[in-house]
Structures are given as C-alpha cells and as structure tokens.
Amino acid sequence: VQLQASGGGLVQAGGSLRLSCAASGRIFGFSDMGWYRQTPEKQRELVAIVTSGGTSNYADSVKGRFTISRDNSKNTVTLQMNSLKSEDTAVYYCSYRSSFGTWPIYWGQGTQVTVSS
C-alpha cells in the first residue's frame, strides 16, 4: 500500500487547514484510514480515524474542531482542521490498515502543520 499525503503548511491560530491522503496498491475491502501526528517531544499519537463503513473516532484534544471523512471509491481520506491551536503543530501522518487480521499499519510520508500564535 502506498499513501500520498498533501496539504499542511503554516497558519495562524484560529485558522483552518485541510489534509488529504490517497491510498494505492493493495487495497483491502475493509480498512481503517486515519491521521496521526508527532512532535519531537511526543510519541506519535492518533488524531482521527475512520472505517470504511464511516465510523470515526477522534482524540479528545481535537473533538469539535477536526473532521475526518473518506471516499471509498477513490481510497482517499481527508482531515479538515478548524480552530487550529499552537499545540496542533506537528508532523501529520496518514495511515491505512486492514480492519481485520494482523496486517501492519501503512504510513504516508508525513506533512508539516505549523500553527503560529
């Protein structure tokens, strides 16, 4: 599975950004697609994830501000980030994994999001 992420950049606090990611290669019939983020001070953490059935989960820190969505016909996932805070600054990684079994998590290349206060 190959993941190509786009979006990210520099934005002022309170602003918005959109991240997109497209999966290609071996596509599972049932999969979870999501976004994680990492800073030099923290381990990689889950931001949001959505199943192929449309069920989503969010980290408490982004609930009400971020929205994850996916298009199964295009194997894409999008993260709309609103009301951004300086603590959202991180490298964001797209993820893809089968919903079943013990398949590994596949990662995108990472995209920098910087929120200036």
Side-chain angles (χ1 to χ4, degrees), residues 25-94:
R26 181 179 186 136
I27 301 299
F28 297 102
F30 297 93
S31 63
D32 302 336
M33 296 188 76
W35 293 91
Y36 289 69
R37 65 188 181 188
Q38 187 171 15
T39 67
E41 298 77 26
K42 289 185 178 181
Q43 290 186 333
R44 193 171 297 188
E45 63 177 4
L46 175 69
V47 176
I49 196 163
V50 59
T51 69
S52 47
T55 301
S56 58
N57 283 293
Y58 297 89
D60 288 342
S61 59
V62 307
K63 284 180 180 177
R65 301 188 296 121
F66 291 11
T67 302
I68 191 168
S69 59
R70 66 184 287 172
D71 184 335
N72 291 329
S73 67
K74 298 179 180 179
N75 299 311
T76 58
V77 63
T78 298
L79 184 69
Q80 178 66 44
M81 305 184 291
N82 298 328
S83 302
L84 282 160
K85 304 176 181 179
S86 57
E87 51 262 44
D88 295 317
T89 295
V91 177
Y92 285 69
Y93 294 91
C94 174

